[in-house]
Amino acid sequence: TTTTTTTALMTETVLVKGGVSAAEAATAVSKPGWGAKGPVATLVNELIDALRPTEQSERRRRAVFTHVAALVNGCFPEVLVTAFGSVPLRTYLPDGDIDVCLLGPHELLSKDSWTVRLRAHIERAEAASAAAALENNTEPNEFAVSEIHIIHAEVKLMKCIADGMVVDISANQFGGLATLGFLEEVDAFIGRGGIFKRSIILIKAWGFYEGRLLGAHHALISTYALETLVLYILNVFHKELSTPLEVLHKFLTFFAEFEWDKNAVSIHGAVPLDRLDSVQAAGPGPAPADHTPAHAHDREGLLLTPEFLWRVLDKYGNDAIMRHGVGVGPGISLAQMQQQRRPMVPKYLNVVDPLLPSNNLGRSVSQGNAKRIRKALSLGAARLSALRESEGGDSMTAVRVLEQFFGNTIRHRRMVPLPHAPSTPGGRNHADEVSMTPASARGGGMGMRSGAVSALASPSSSSYTPSTTRNKSGVGAGGMKSGLKSGMKSGKSKGGKSA
């Protein structure tokens, strides 16, 4: 049912069962690739490790999520609160937000009313908590929720800030949960030391801090679109790539010259814009003759095999979701939903959703930003190609060039400096590492926390007893020890069973 399906989708580490193993799918590389050794490799690895989620950032995000989930369950007790996107996938940047999804009956989470009800409830709860703290001379809530906004977009959102961290709340977005499961299975299938996720982190860092091309809410590329582009690069050019730096270089050089005005990008190859209707029936199997990608690679040599793709599409694709009764509104049959399918609508930068071919992941990009994105890709490709050529000479020159290439990223590194990075004045402690709620508002430092939040912040604390500290949804905070698999779920299912 819905609960079982959602729980399966939200599993943090997805094991590949059946099909082709990661070892069989990976193609051996005869010699170390660019960025596998040397000073440049050392700096890139340190940069990725500095950007990756840390134990401290994980604890903070779990604590913020638990506080928001408790507020939601105070308004909608029967709703399941879960997270999706980069946080449970563990590919978020230090500046990344938290995507929260409410799962419940359509009549309860209707598009017109749930955001209004939830905002009013949170505002009342925060005001009551502050008044009680002032009256009793006690500490207020650890996390101050503020700046609540309702975004009237294609997917209705409620944005707020909790402890200085942006939280996006949506309702019944089962596609986001399916995407999470799909990307986890892809990462497990590819293997190679987690090259898929490490490449995502490195390319997201370049796109966010350097290229300034990431952010759907700014009419730029969405995170899922970028992840799909990275998957395309690995799927097609996997024989040439063995390090995240090589993936970044191929990403920039290939898409800088890609004919965006004529083609869309799918994980299999280029799709002519005038043939987007045929993507619906193409599936992951061999492409028709007139769908041969513009590059010279044979589709039979792709990293993701047809057997693997058919299996994950059967589990996470749009048809699979509808077969489980998820996402079908009142009075709408499965046959009617299938009849409503239409070809993907082309925009200025077109990326085909692997799970739903009619969904254009690049639809958020405006015409002006599409041109700017292409220029950013071209500039990045030229600079990184120059770096690759210079590494054959003075290694320290290559390091200095890399420091310039990732200059903004390095300045945004966390408290732990990069040992082999050149001096970069302007670095700051990141919001991931410190609470953004003013000390005066929370009554002191980190040691002043109490209850479930204290247990979340210090899951290894010997003074914490899971059986005595639980949130409103019935999920013990002690369960957070097992990671985001349990830490990113809160609430009850419609049937009343603990999720």
Side-chain angles (χ1 to χ4, degrees), residues 125-379:
E126 292 292 314
S129 176
L134 182 63
E135 180 180 355
N136 300 326
N137 195 26
T138 58
E139 298 177 23
N141 283 336
E142 169 69 17
F143 303 107
V145 178
S146 61
E147 298 188 35
I148 303 174
H149 300 284
I150 298 175
I151 308 299
H152 298 277
E154 181 179 351
V155 176
K156 197 164 188 178
L157 293 175
M158 195 186 83
K159 280 183 173 285
C160 63
I161 295 179
D163 194 31
M165 184 174 297
V166 177
V167 179
D168 291 343
I169 305 175
S170 58
N172 286 338
Q173 293 303 307
F174 296 95
L177 300 178
T179 298
L180 172 62
F182 170 71
L183 293 176
E184 283 284 12
E185 291 226 23
V186 166
D187 178 67
F189 183 84
I190 293 176
R192 297 188 181 187
I195 188 174
F196 179 52
K197 288 187 178 181
R198 288 176 65 85
S199 299
I200 287 176
I201 292 173
L202 185 65
I203 294 175
K204 282 178 67 174
W206 176 85
F208 186 77
Y209 297 118
E210 313 297 338
R212 307 292 184 181
L213 49 78
L214 192 61
H217 55 291
H218 294 305
L220 296 168
I221 300 176
S222 68
T223 299
Y224 184 26
L226 183 135
E227 291 165 344
T228 302
L229 296 178
V230 174
L231 180 55
Y232 165 79
I233 293 296
L234 279 169
N235 190 31
V236 174
F237 301 101
H238 61 98
K239 294 181 181 179
E240 308 172 22
L241 309 173
S242 62
T243 68
L245 188 58
E246 286 184 324
V247 177
L248 171 61
H249 183 251
K250 178 62 71 174
F251 177 93
L252 294 174
T253 55
F254 180 83
F255 290 120
E257 299 181 0
F258 187 78
E259 295 182 319
W260 293 102
D261 294 328
K262 299 180 180 180
N263 299 297
V265 179
S266 75
I267 61 173
H268 310 297
V271 180
L273 295 182
D274 58 357
R275 296 296 306 275
L276 289 176
D277 55 338
S278 64
V279 179
Q280 295 280 32
D290 57 353
H291 265 224
T292 302
H295 49 74
H297 293 262
D298 188 349
R299 285 189 60 159
E300 293 183 357
L302 299 182
L303 178 60
L304 302 180
T305 64
E307 294 79 9
F308 170 77
L309 287 174
W310 278 121
R311 182 166 57 80
V312 294
L313 287 176
D314 183 64
K315 186 185 299 185
Y316 302 111
N318 190 54
D319 287 342
I321 294 176
M322 291 191 296
R323 280 201 305 271
H324 286 86
V326 178
V328 180
I332 300 178
S333 67
L334 178 59
Q336 288 174 322
M337 288 288 289
Q338 291 174 333
Q339 291 174 359
Q340 291 175 4
R341 292 177 181 172
R342 289 179 173 84
M344 189 181 86
V345 178
K347 297 286 287 186
Y348 305 108
L349 190 146
N350 302 285
V351 182
V352 181
D353 187 341
L355 302 180
L356 182 60
S358 61
N359 182 28
N360 188 349
L361 300 179
R363 65 184 182 276
S364 60
V365 179
S366 65
Q367 184 176 16
N369 283 342
K371 296 178 180 179
R372 192 174 67 80
I373 288 171
R374 297 181 197 183
K375 291 181 180 179
L377 291 170
S378 298
L379 179 60

Side-chain angles (χ1 to χ4, degrees), residues 16 31 45 112 120 146 166 189 191 278 287 294 296 326 352 361 370 382 387 396 408 417-418 427-428 435 442:
V16 178
K31 59 181 180 180
N45 289 331
D112 298 327
S146 61
V166 177
F189 183 84
S278 64
V326 178
V352 181
L361 300 179
L387 168 62
M396 292 311 300
N408 293 329
L418 307 181
R428 59 187 175 87
S435 175
R442 62 180 190 267

Side-chain angles (χ1 to χ4, degrees), residues 27-47:
T27 302
V29 178
S30 58
K31 59 181 180 180
W34 183 44
K37 60 181 181 179
V40 169
T42 300
L43 184 57
V44 169
N45 289 331
E46 288 175 353
L47 180 60

Side-chain angles (χ1 to χ4, degrees), residues 69-91:
L71 290 172
V72 171
N73 287 138
C75 182
F76 302 113
E78 62 272 54
V79 165
L80 173 69
V81 186
T82 187
F84 66 99
S86 299
V87 171
L89 191 63
R90 302 189 79 251
T91 57

